[in-house]
Amino acid sequence: MRSVQKSIQPLCAPFLHPKHTTRIQLSCATQPPLWARSFHASASLRVVDLAYRLHDDQGKAKGDPIVMIHGLFGSKRNNQSVGNALARLLARPVYALDTRNHGESPHSHPHTYTALAEDVEAFLAKHGLRNATLIGHSMGAKTVMAMALRNPDCCANIIPVDNAPVDAALSSDFPKFAQGMQQVEKAQPKTQRQADGVLEPYAKDLPVRQFLLTNLARPEPGAALKFRIPIGTLSKSLGHMADFPFRNPDEVQFTKRALFIRGTKSHYVSDEVLPIIGRFFPRFELVDIDAGHWVISEKPDEFIQAVVKFLQEKED
């Protein structure tokens, strides 16, 4: 693992994503906190009450909170061991969330970064979480970036993992995963082994299949296994997950600290997007970990080391 600090000066010309030339409008939205506002001019979306798991080292973690947000098709279960470790090493409580349409949280339309951000903002307000560190992987990374840009006061700092603040196509694997999961439901398997056999043509790697199949549940004794997540809704939302709701870093920035962690074998945070990251997040730091897109599960020790080092450093 190598750690490189980046502080990229703004480029002369404003950066505009080629897909969009419109600007984002800010207006008042959800309450209570004053910083909870929508980045659409329309009324706020319906917020859902997110399920979570608290890791607080048996009540000994009393510092500022850490909030962890999983990636697409994930859940709070993915961050259990890492959450326990961070709570113990940093003496800070870690809240591992299930986003809408994932884990034990409610299912709701739409599944966009606007909706995800508003849900997490409402969670922070409901639980009185101030000065939080927001950590997000993949879909969760774009969620915490969007939150930081639209409402800088909602957090102390952010740690996006293997994603960037740009419109970029998802890996072709994700549509295959969604298709395979739909085939699993059609097959009505009675066992995990049967479900794995159906899914294998769509997800060749066993660890990936095991990750996806953690979403299976049996509604009642003797019934076929079904996914607890709404596969249809998420399949239709893949385009939204490729987008990023902010286009122009000349209009909005997050000037607090940000740690970007990327997998060196992943394509989601290429060197070409680093100047864009630097313009949205001028105090960002970069850590490379020898891993693919699933950085946290592939290299948990290196990930924990990077997070602990970042959060133990004193502010300038």
Side-chain angles (χ1 to χ4, degrees):
M1 180 181 71
R2 63 181 178 85
S3 176
V4 183
Q5 288 199 0
K6 299 284 182 181
S7 180
I8 298 177
Q9 296 301 317
L11 306 177
C12 294
F15 171 79
L16 297 176
H17 291 254
K19 283 177 57 180
H20 305 274
T21 56
T22 56
R23 302 276 66 84
I24 297 105
Q25 295 176 293
L26 294 174
S27 67
C28 291
T30 54
Q31 295 182 0
L34 296 177
W35 44 259
R37 57 180 191 264
S38 173
F39 38 62
H40 287 290
S42 59
S44 176
L45 299 167
R46 185 177 73 85
V47 169
V48 303
D49 192 16
L50 300 179
Y52 71 99
R53 178 172 292 167
L54 174 61
H55 307 276
D56 63 357
D57 194 22
Q58 298 181 329
K60 292 181 285 188
K62 301 292 186 181
D64 290 332
I66 296 171
V67 175
M68 296 193 69
I69 305 172
H70 58 79
L72 188 63
F73 302 138
S75 74
K76 60 183 180 294
R77 294 174 58 184
N78 305 143
N79 295 317
Q80 183 168 332
S81 60
V82 168
N84 283 331
L86 292 176
R88 184 180 68 256
L89 293 170
L90 294 167
R92 296 176 59 172
V94 177
Y95 294 79
L97 307 187
D98 282 336
T99 67
R100 65 169 54 201
N101 300 314
H102 287 78
E104 298 174 326
S105 286
H107 300 172
S108 183
H109 294 281
H111 194 86
T112 64
Y113 289 114
T114 307
L116 294 171
E118 289 200 350
D119 289 345
V120 181
E121 287 173 349
F123 181 87
L124 295 177
K126 175 181 177 179
H127 295 273
L129 304 183
R130 298 182 179 278
N131 300 316
T133 291
L134 305 180
I135 302 177
H137 170 250
S138 193
M139 177 187 76
K142 280 192 171 180
T143 300
V144 303
M145 285 186 274
M147 291 175 63
L149 289 172
R150 82 189 207 129
N151 301 313
D153 291 336
C154 78
C155 61
N157 45 57
I158 63 169
I159 303 178
V161 183
D162 214 56
N163 219 332
V166 296
D167 289 354
L170 293 178
S171 164
S172 60
D173 291 337
F174 282 97
K176 290 180 184 176
F177 297 161
Q179 185 182 1
M181 295 165 82
Q182 289 174 321
Q183 292 302 314
V184 169
E185 289 213 322
K186 288 181 182 178
Q188 298 185 330
K190 290 296 183 70
T191 67
Q192 287 274 135
R193 184 174 181 177
Q194 291 174 348
D196 183 73
V198 176
L199 188 59
E200 186 173 7
Y202 304 89
K204 298 296 185 183
D205 294 335
L206 178 60
V208 173
R209 294 201 306 276
Q210 290 173 333
F211 161 72
L212 296 173
L213 294 175
T214 60
N215 291 293
L216 277 179
R218 199 180 305 278
E220 57 188 35
L225 293 168
K226 293 187 66 175
F227 286 104
R228 62 168 59 91
I229 59 178
I231 304 301
T233 297
L234 294 175
S235 297
K236 293 174 184 177
S237 301
L238 293 178
H240 294 307
M241 297 296 93
D243 290 340
F244 188 68
F246 290 96
R247 317 296 179 194
N248 186 357
D250 287 337
E251 291 189 350
V252 61
Q253 288 185 332
F254 181 73
T255 58
K256 300 176 185 179
R257 298 177 69 218
L259 174 66
F260 281 71
I261 299 177
R262 67 176 176 177
T264 57
K265 299 174 183 175
S266 172
H267 73 276
Y268 280 95
V269 187
S270 66
D271 288 343
E272 287 73 20
V273 303
L274 295 182
I276 302 168
I277 293 174
R279 295 191 59 207
F280 276 121
F281 304 94
R283 295 183 63 193
F284 92 100
E285 302 168 31
L286 177 69
V287 169
D288 283 348
I289 293 179
D290 183 23
H293 181 58
W294 313 94
V295 179
I296 300 175
S297 60
E298 290 181 43
K299 295 293 179 70
D301 292 341
E302 287 89 338
F303 171 78
I304 292 167
Q305 178 186 346
V307 172
V308 169
K309 182 177 184 294
F310 174 75
L311 293 180
Q312 287 182 337
E313 291 174 350
K314 293 182 179 179
E315 287 280 346
D316 296 336

